[in-house]
Amino acid sequence: NGIMAFFMPTQLDWFKQKMSNRKIRDSKSVVKFLQEWGEQLRFAINSSNYHEQKRLKILDGSVIGSAYMDIDEDRESGRIMCNVPHPRQMFVTNNYYGLPVKIHKYFYRTLQQISDEYGKEALDSNQQLSLAKDPNHRVKLIKAIYKNTDFDTKKPSAGKNRRWLVAIANTEAFNAKLQESGLLIKSKQMGGDGYNTVNPIVWQHN
């Protein structure tokens, strides 16, 4: 609580925006834009569960040495929602310099939730039959976040052209095409989304 109150107080402005380009840093229009943008950002953060989850992340990072916070958007309310998964749910691959290049996170969703979010094609034939009888049956999913080796810096960073891409797999579904377990729900080839910065935010104290 002391760390949160000192570095990220909810009642005070604990961050400030400034342009790195000195030529336009003191421009009145630029300063005004950054102030308005900062107000919107503070509103979004204070409307979310950021501070609540940040406490968990600090506890994990200070005790275990590794902490992760997944940031997403609640489609119904439009609020930014943060989630700090249990350390056992996260697997991180680092490069030679100790920077994350691949992140795997497993989580659970019910058959109904998978159908609503990704469509019935995200379920295999048996799961689709079970959907009517037991829609609350939980299924293990894996979310993979990895660096996009085909990222083009000359194109807009949007859609498939993101620095980080996302793939989600239904581990309990049977892939009839490949004749093996594991059905890919979302990927780059399927028009999957991604991030311009790494998400979840990884904090590793080595």
Side-chain angles (χ1 to χ4, degrees):
N1 288 336
I3 294 175
M4 294 292 296
F6 184 79
F7 289 104
M8 292 160 280
T10 57
Q11 304 301 323
L12 299 176
D13 296 342
W14 51 275
F15 59 85
K16 183 181 292 185
Q17 299 77 37
K18 182 182 287 187
M19 294 294 295
S20 58
N21 189 335
R22 294 186 178 183
K23 294 181 180 180
I24 60 174
R25 181 182 296 175
D26 297 325
S27 168
K28 291 184 179 180
S29 59
V30 171
V31 172
K32 182 181 178 181
F33 168 78
L34 291 176
Q35 288 176 343
E36 293 176 351
W37 179 79
E39 290 175 4
Q40 292 297 320
L41 183 59
R42 274 184 284 275
F43 173 79
I45 291 176
N46 290 334
S47 300
S48 71
N49 63 340
Y50 172 82
H51 289 88
E52 174 188 336
Q53 293 295 303
K54 187 67 175 181
R55 289 185 175 88
L56 293 177
K57 185 180 179 184
I58 291 173
L59 286 173
D60 284 350
S62 59
V63 176
I64 302 172
S66 296
Y68 320 94
M69 185 161 67
D70 205 354
I71 302 176
D72 212 334
E73 181 183 19
D74 180 18
R75 295 185 178 183
E76 294 184 3
S77 66
R79 295 171 58 206
I80 295 174
M81 299 302 293
C82 304
N83 173 256
V84 176
H86 192 282
R88 291 179 181 174
Q89 291 180 253
M90 300 290 300
F91 304 89
V92 179
T93 301
N94 295 332
N95 63 11
Y96 175 80
Y97 302 102
L99 300 175
V101 293
K102 189 184 299 181
I103 302 168
H104 287 88
K105 166 191 172 183
Y106 76 81
F107 59 104
Y108 292 89
R109 290 288 185 271
T110 66
L111 291 174
Q112 188 64 60
Q113 288 172 329
I114 295 173
S115 177
D116 291 343
E117 188 167 355
Y118 305 108
K120 287 188 177 181
E121 61 272 15
L123 305 172
D124 66 15
S125 57
N126 290 328
Q127 289 177 329
Q128 290 184 22
L129 291 174
S130 300
L131 178 62
K133 300 177 181 178
D134 188 12
N136 294 320
H137 175 72
R138 298 207 318 158
V139 176
K140 182 178 180 180
L141 305 180
I142 291 181
K143 178 179 182 180
I145 302 143
Y146 54 97
K147 293 201 74 172
N148 183 7
T149 55
D150 297 325
F151 177 71
D152 191 344
T153 56
K154 298 179 181 179
K155 295 181 179 179
S157 182
K160 298 178 183 179
N161 191 47
R162 303 266 190 171
R163 293 183 182 274
W164 294 83
L165 296 175
V166 175
I168 299 177
N170 179 348
T171 65
E172 298 180 23
F174 182 75
N175 191 323
K177 185 176 180 180
L178 299 179
Q179 290 295 302
E180 62 182 26
S181 297
L183 183 63
L184 198 60
I185 295 175
K186 181 187 289 186
S187 69
K188 177 182 177 182
Q189 290 72 22
M190 299 166 68
D193 56 7
Y195 308 104
N196 293 325
T197 57
V198 61
N199 181 31
I201 299 171
V202 180
W203 173 22
Q204 292 178 303
H205 180 69
N206 298 322

